[in-house]
Amino acid sequence: MTSLEPLDGDLSSEAHELALALRRLFGALEVGVRRYAARRSRDAGSVSRYLNGTRIPNWEFVADLLADVAEARGVVLPETVDLLRGLHLAALAASGSPQHRVQLLEQQLAAADLAARRSVVRERALEDALLDAQRRVGDLELQMRQLAVGPDRPPPAQAAQPTLDDLAAARQERDDLRTQIADLRAELKHAHARRVQAELRCAELERELDQADRQAPADLSVDAAQPSSVSETPAVLAAPASEQLAERQASARLNKMYAFDNFAVNSGNRFAHDVAVGVAEAPGSTYNPLYLFGGNGRGKSHLLHAIGNYTRTLYPASEVRYMSLRDVLSIQPGWHTGSAPLDSLPTEHADVLLLDDIDWLSGRTGRAQQASMADTLRRYVDAGKLLVCAAPLPPDHVDWHADLAALFQAGVCLGMEEAPGHSQLLTVLQKKADADGISAPDEALELLASGAGGSVRELEGALTRVAAYASLNHCAIDTGVAQQVLTGLQKSTHQEITGETVLQTVADHFGTTVEILRGKERGRRLVTARHIAMYLCRELTDHPVPTIAALLGSKDLAAVLHAHRKTRALMRQRPSQYTQVSHITSEILFHPRPDQHSPGGASRRPEVPHSTADTPVLGDLPA
C-alpha cells in the first residue's frame, strides 16, 4: 500500500474532485501511504480510502495534510485552503450520509461562530470610535464658547478676524464630527443586527446538529470496515474549534515554542520587545509598520512568532500569516528572475502579516517587482492591518526600491543590539500621539522623549497624562505642561507591585471585596471598579493580558483591552474619573501594603499623577 490505486469510475463528481485535490496535495510530500499513515498515527487503510475517494475524510485529516505540506514546501496559499474546504463541503453535502451531515453542520457552525465573534469585535471598535468622537465634540463645544466670550481684555482690531475664523473652523469641525457620529451610530446598529443574526444562525445550527446527531447511527461514527486508529477522533465527537485551529495553524506557520514569556530580554532588545507586545495587543492601531533589525541570533524571528502567537491568543478570530522571504524566494520558481509578481503573496485575508528576512528582496528581485510589492504592502497597512518585518540591517542600509524604504521608514524602525536612541523614542511618541488623536508640539514631545525614560510604558504613560491634564484643564499641550508631568514621574518610586495588591486597593476604595470584584455582579459601580482594576494592572504591573483576565475571574481577554482603552478615554473627559484613578494609584505607590513586596513582577511608573501636595498636576482641576 505504498502507491495509490486509480480512482473508481463510480464515484460521484464531488467525491472525485475532492480525491483528486487530496492526491495532488499528498503528492507534494513524496512519501508512500503507509509511511504517511505511520507519521500521523493513522490507519493506513483509512488514508488509502480518503485518497481513493471511497471514503470522505473529516476536516482534521485535510488540515493535517495542509500543515504537513506547508512544513515540507514552505507555504500554502489561503486560496488552496479555501478550495479544499469548498470541495470538502460539497462532497459532504452530496453524500447524504447521516454521519456526513453531522460533519457538514459542524463546519457550518464553526463558520457561523467565527462570524459572531468577529461582529462582537467590530461592535466594540465602533463603540470606542463613537465615544472618542463624542468626546471631541464636547471639547469643540467648550472651545467655541471660549472663542465666543473672548479674553477679559478686548483684543486688538487686527486680532478679531482670526478669532472669527477660528470659531468658524471649530464649528465646521464640530458639524463634521456630528455627521461622523450619526454614521457611526448607524454602522453600530447594523453591526449589532449582524451579530444578532449570526447568534440566531448559531442557535439554529446547534438545534439541527443535535437532531442530526440523534439520527446518526452510533456505528457510523467510525469506519466499520477497518479498525480506526486511537488518535483518529470520530467526526461526530470532534469539536469545530479544533478543526478551525488546525486550519489556521497550517496557514499561519507559527512556531508555538516562540513566545514573549521565553524571550531573553536585555538592555539592547527591551524596547523592541515592549513595542512588539504593544502591537500584538492592538494590531494595526499604532507603530505600523514595525521594522526590526539586528544581527544573527538577536531574536528577530523569535519576536515575529511571539507577536503572531500572542495576537492569536488575544484575538482568536484574527488571521495571522508568517513567512520567511528567504524560504519563499528559494522555492518559488520565477521570482528571482522577475517573471513572477511579488504581489501574489497571500496578504489579502491576513489581519497580521509577519515577513522575516525582508532584505532578501534586495538583489534577488527586479525593481518593478519591488515597487509592486511596496504598493501591495502600503495598501495592506492603509487598511489598518498590522505589518511587521525583520532584517539584519536598517531599511536605509538595504539596496532596494525607494518605495519600500519609504514605507518602512514611515513606520517604526527599532534595532535589537543597543538601547533606543532619542530619535527612536521621539518616533514612538509621535506615532502614539497620531494614533490617539493627541495634538502636541514637537518641543513637548522632545521633552517627554528626553525625560520620561527608555521604557515604552513610561513614554505612553507620560503622553496620556499630558493629554488628560490638558483636556481637563482646557489648555493646550506645551512644554510647561510636559515639564509638570515629568516632575510627577521623577518623584515616583519603583516598588514591586502585584496584581493582588491592585485588586485589594481598588476594592477598598470602592467599599467592596476582591471576591465581589471577581464575581459576576454588574452594577455600574462594580463595572467601573473592574475597569479601573484592569487599567491599573496593565499600567503598574508586568502581568500579560491573560493573567489580568484570570485575576478578575474572567476568560475574556478582549475585555481587558477594552477596559484599558475606555478608562484612559474617560480620564480625559471626567475630572472625577481622573481624580479617582489618581487617588488609587497614589495609595498603591506611596502606601504599600505588607504583601506589596511579594513576587509578582516589577512595577511600572504610573500613567496618572499622584494626589500629593507637591505634585502640581492636580493643582487646578476643574470642578
Side-chain angles (χ1 to χ4, degrees):
M1 200 179 298
T2 57
S3 59
L4 296 175
E5 301 175 1
L7 292 178
D8 193 336
D10 295 334
L11 293 178
S12 66
S13 59
E14 293 82 3
H16 188 272
E17 290 296 327
L18 176 62
L20 280 179
L22 291 177
R23 280 173 171 242
R24 287 194 291 269
L25 200 63
F26 182 77
L29 297 178
E30 298 180 348
V31 296
V33 174
R34 286 195 180 277
R35 180 175 173 181
Y36 182 73
R39 177 186 301 177
R40 277 292 181 177
S41 300
R42 290 183 178 273
D43 175 63
S46 295
V47 173
S48 178
R49 283 190 291 276
Y50 294 157
L51 299 175
N52 289 333
T54 55
R55 180 182 172 194
I56 300 175
N58 54 32
W59 183 252
E60 181 186 3
F61 172 81
V62 183
D64 287 344
L65 189 56
L66 285 167
D68 293 333
V69 172
E71 181 181 355
R73 294 295 183 179
V75 63
V76 171
L77 296 178
E79 291 80 2
T80 303
V81 179
D82 294 340
L83 173 64
L84 280 170
R85 181 170 286 282
L87 293 175
H88 186 249
L89 291 174
L92 291 176
S95 168
S97 163
Q99 177 196 10
H100 292 156
R101 174 165 172 75
V102 168
Q103 294 185 42
L104 180 63
L105 289 173
E106 283 178 336
Q107 294 200 40
Q108 292 175 345
L109 180 58
D113 176 68
L114 176 61
R117 288 184 285 125
R118 282 180 171 170
S119 63
V120 170
V121 174
R122 179 62 176 163
E123 267 193 282
R124 286 176 174 166
L126 289 171
E127 287 172 354
D128 289 343
L130 182 60
L131 181 65
D132 182 65
Q134 290 171 335
R135 175 192 59 76
R136 290 162 60 194
V137 167
D139 291 343
L140 287 170
E141 293 281 4
L142 177 61
Q143 180 183 348
M144 290 166 56
R145 288 196 296 270
Q146 292 174 341
L147 290 172
V149 173
D152 295 336
R153 290 181 296 176
Q158 62 271 22
Q161 186 60 39
T163 302
L164 294 176
D165 292 342
D166 293 341
L167 185 61
R171 184 179 292 111
Q172 180 62 47
E173 185 177 356
R174 180 203 60 186
D175 294 342
D176 292 342
L177 282 171
R178 285 178 173 174
T179 302
Q180 181 182 347
I181 287 174
D183 293 340
L184 284 172
R185 284 175 174 163
E187 193 172 354
L188 182 60
K189 182 179 179 180
H190 292 155
H192 177 73
R194 288 194 294 270
R195 181 175 66 83
V196 171
Q197 184 178 5
E199 293 290 351
L200 291 175
R201 175 61 174 162
C202 286
E204 177 187 355
L205 286 170
E206 283 182 300
R207 288 193 296 269
E208 292 184 19
L209 188 56
D210 288 340
Q211 183 179 3
D213 206 2
R214 288 192 297 268
Q215 292 176 352
D219 60 350
L220 287 179
S221 62
V222 294
D223 189 357
Q226 289 286 342
S228 176
S229 170
V230 175
S231 65
E232 188 169 353
T233 306
V236 181
L237 302 179
S242 299
E243 296 180 355
Q244 188 176 12
L245 182 62
E247 176 189 356
R248 287 182 179 168
Q249 182 66 26
S251 60
R253 300 184 63 243
L254 294 172
N255 189 331
K256 295 181 180 180
M257 300 299 294
Y258 291 147
F260 288 123
D261 291 340
N262 57 23
F263 182 78
V265 179
N266 56 49
S267 59
N269 62 29
R270 182 180 300 278
F271 197 80
H273 167 270
D274 292 347
V275 171
V277 173
V279 300
E281 291 178 345
S285 63
T286 186
Y287 312 141
N288 190 26
L290 175 61
Y291 185 102
L292 303 174
F293 63 90
N296 292 333
R298 301 294 179 178
K300 302 184 299 295
S301 298
H302 190 136
L303 280 188
L304 289 185
H305 286 278
I307 289 171
N309 288 320
Y310 195 38
T311 300
R312 295 183 69 214
T313 299
L314 297 178
Y315 306 99
S318 63
E319 296 287 345
V320 179
R321 297 282 187 275
Y322 167 87
M323 62 184 70
S324 168
L325 270 295
R326 179 194 298 265
D327 297 337
V328 171
L329 292 176
S330 299
I331 66 174
Q332 293 293 332
W335 279 14
H336 64 284
T337 62
S339 60
L342 280 176
D343 57 5
S344 60
L345 285 176
T347 63
E348 180 181 356
H349 301 290
D351 302 305
V352 176
L353 183 61
L354 309 168
L355 296 181
D356 207 351
D357 303 311
I358 190 73
D359 58 301
W360 267 60
L361 293 175
S362 173
R364 297 174 177 85
T365 57
R367 293 287 177 172
Q369 287 179 300
Q370 294 180 23
S372 176
M373 179 71 163
D375 183 60
T376 299
L377 295 181
R378 188 175 298 280
R379 290 198 307 268
Y380 182 84
V381 172
D382 291 343
K385 299 180 178 183
L386 174 62
L387 171 64
V388 185
C389 301
L393 298 174
D396 56 351
H397 286 61
V398 182
D399 181 24
W400 49 28
H401 195 278
D403 289 348
L404 274 175
L407 172 67
F408 298 136
Q409 290 172 354
V412 176
C413 303
L414 296 177
M416 298 182 62
E417 296 180 353
E418 56 185 18
H422 178 76
S423 61
Q424 290 178 320
L425 298 179
L426 184 59
T427 299
V428 167
L429 266 179
Q430 290 170 336
K431 293 293 181 183
K432 185 63 177 176
D434 292 341
D436 291 350
I438 299 173
S439 178
D442 292 340
E443 296 79 8
L445 295 180
E446 290 259 5
L447 188 60
L448 291 177
S450 301
S455 163
V456 175
R457 184 64 65 184
E458 289 179 3
L459 284 175
E460 294 180 347
L463 181 63
T464 302
R465 291 176 65 181
V466 166
Y469 173 79
S471 177
L472 292 175
N473 288 279
H474 312 300
C475 64
I477 297 176
D478 55 21
T479 54
V481 174
Q483 185 59 58
Q484 284 185 329
V485 169
L486 287 177
T487 301
L489 278 172
Q490 290 159 1
K491 290 179 180 178
S492 301
T493 58
H494 285 284
Q495 301 180 33
E496 198 168 344
I497 300 171
T498 67
E500 292 291 344
T501 299
V502 173
L503 263 60
Q504 188 61 61
T505 308
V506 171
D508 291 345
H509 178 84
F510 283 90
T512 184
T513 65
V514 174
E515 289 71 22
I516 294 177
L517 206 59
R518 287 173 171 151
K520 302 298 183 183
E521 189 177 342
R522 294 191 56 80
R524 177 176 295 181
R525 186 173 176 82
L526 278 176
V527 170
T528 300
R530 291 190 189 105
H531 283 182
I532 291 177
M534 292 177 183
Y535 171 84
L536 291 177
C537 281
R538 289 264 292 155
E539 292 301 317
L540 302 179
T541 76
D542 283 329
H543 295 327
V545 172
T547 301
I548 297 174
L551 279 171
L552 272 295
S554 171
K555 296 181 180 180
D556 190 354
L557 307 184
V560 177
L561 301 175
H562 176 73
H564 184 264
R565 291 193 301 268
K566 186 173 182 179
T567 302
R568 188 174 59 188
L570 289 177
M571 285 173 59
R572 298 172 61 180
Q573 302 173 44
R574 302 176 183 173
S576 59
Q577 184 95 349
Y578 186 90
T579 306
Q580 198 170 47
V581 175
S582 301
H583 177 73
I584 297 172
T585 304
S586 177
E587 287 293 316
I588 295 172
L589 289 175
F590 297 104
H591 300 86
R593 299 174 178 274
D595 62 342
Q596 185 93 338
H597 298 283
S598 60
S603 67
R604 290 171 175 160
R605 291 180 178 174
E607 183 174 307
V608 294
H610 319 304
S611 53
T612 56
D614 58 351
T615 304
V617 181
L618 290 177
D620 54 350
L621 283 179

